[in-house]
Amino acid sequence: LTWIGQHTMTTAAQPIAAKRWVVTQPGAIDNLTLCDVSVAAPSVFEVRVKVHAIGLNFADIFTVLGLYGDKPPSADHPVTPGFEIAGVVESVGANASEKFRVGQHVFGLLGTGGYATAVNVPASILFNIPEGWTFAQAAAFPVQTLTAYFSLVVLGGIHINPGPGTGTSLTSDRK
């Protein structure tokens, strides 16, 4: 997906114009429509992020196709897909300012709504992008990592223990 439009970073809490991909009717990727939207000022616990990269995973595709069974209540159509985003902090709510600052590179895991040029995200689900990572790497990280963790640890009974040196050790109680 290509993002259209530019907006400048600001510390002032004000609405901004943005673009958002919206599924107007589920069933086909062709039903994604690029729309002009207004992104409100972030609430006191939110951070506004200018999106530079998005993840694309099974849940996004299922959302577009209308097949995702665990839709949030607001996911009736129209809906904006996008579970994973990475970008630059544009504006910070009053209670999020201890952890985040304008210009910081972050990634997060949303329920929906990430296919946009700017989003407001609860500070509790945003993370700093590790040094050396690209926006694309950060946006692709959350769902795949949590899926692997759930599969190995929760379903598979694998224990992840810090190992000596730089790695980790994996052990299992499964027989």
Side-chain angles (χ1 to χ4, degrees), residues 40-133:
S43 76
V44 295
F45 295 104
E46 290 181 323
V47 174
R48 185 165 55 214
V49 177
K50 179 180 181 183
V51 177
H52 285 254
I54 58 170
L56 175 62
N57 59 65
F58 71 94
D60 297 316
I61 293 168
F62 275 29
T63 298
V64 170
L65 296 177
L67 301 174
Y68 196 63
D70 192 25
K71 292 186 236 176
S74 63
D76 294 327
H77 292 83
V79 64
T80 297
F83 278 62
E84 304 159 298
I85 58 105
V88 178
V89 172
E90 278 194 323
S91 185
V92 180
N95 291 346
S97 61
E98 288 182 19
K99 188 174 177 186
F100 297 104
R101 68 187 185 293
V102 171
Q104 193 170 353
H105 293 193
V106 295
F107 71 97
L109 182 63
L110 314 175
T112 58
Y115 288 13
T117 58
V119 291
N120 287 333
V121 181
S124 61
I125 59 172
L126 275 182
F127 304 91
N128 292 320
I129 295 179
E131 190 172 325
W133 283 24

Side-chain angles (χ1 to χ4, degrees), residues 134-162:
T134 66
F135 288 116
Q137 289 169 321
F141 179 77
V143 169
Q144 287 73 334
T145 301
L146 292 173
T147 300
Y149 178 86
F150 182 79
S151 299
L152 292 170
V153 176
V154 176
L155 298 178
I158 301 293
H159 300 283
I160 301 175
N161 303 308

